[in-house]
Amino acid sequence: MPDAKPMTKNEVLTKLREEIAAQRRAAEAEPDPGRRAQMLRDADTREDLAEAEAEAIAEEIAESAQQAAISVRVTTSLSEALKARASAEHIPLSTYVRRVLTQAVEHADAPVLTLSQVEDIARRVYRESA
């Protein structure tokens, strides 16, 4: 089966506008005038942001199409250290690991840490986060 082509911005925008239209229909059917007004305001806001939202979603879809999942086993201490650092930066673990791997590949000539050094860092991070 050939690879599916990622959705374009216009295709995403069409889907968003369909969702917004359904949101407006639901608002019109709402018996509570206050709730109806809020639902319509929400739909208006979504419509105002639809272009930017469609562009962001299309970019995310395109990025996802260019990514591959890998699985790697690491020590528990390394896993906890990675999770702690990702949490400290308020980003998902996968984003943090992707960043670390990208930096490692792009800067392959940079000194590499030994397993012992990584474990020491992980212990230090664990102690500091406790």
Side-chain angles (χ1 to χ4, degrees), residues 4-129:
K5 187 179 123 201
M7 290 177 69
T8 66
K9 176 186 169 185
N10 287 337
E11 291 168 331
V12 173
L13 187 57
T14 298
K15 293 275 186 196
L16 287 174
R17 289 199 168 127
E18 288 171 2
E19 289 176 15
I20 294 166
Q23 192 175 0
R24 288 186 195 287
R25 286 190 300 275
E28 294 301 332
E30 174 60 46
D32 178 358
R35 177 84 175 113
R36 179 175 47 250
Q38 182 60 52
M39 291 171 74
L40 289 170
R41 282 193 300 275
D42 291 347
D44 290 342
T45 300
R46 238 182 127 199
E47 182 64 42
D48 291 343
L49 300 173
E51 288 276 339
E53 186 178 356
E55 187 170 336
I57 290 170
E59 286 175 11
E60 191 173 308
I61 290 170
E63 275 182 21
S64 292
Q66 296 173 5
Q67 294 179 354
I70 62 170
S71 177
V72 61
R73 299 187 67 75
V74 298
T75 62
T76 302
S77 61
L78 178 56
S79 174
E80 293 303 317
L82 291 168
K83 288 176 186 176
R85 289 189 177 197
S87 178
E89 293 190 29
H90 306 288
I91 59 175
L93 177 61
S94 62
T95 301
Y96 181 78
V97 170
R98 197 168 30 253
R99 180 191 306 159
V100 169
L101 291 173
T102 299
Q103 289 171 348
V105 170
E106 289 176 353
H107 304 289
D109 56 341
V112 177
L113 295 174
T114 65
L115 178 58
S116 175
Q117 290 170 316
V118 171
E119 288 174 344
D120 288 344
I121 291 169
R123 281 195 276 296
R124 194 171 340 125
V125 168
Y126 178 77
R127 282 192 306 269
E128 290 172 4
S129 66

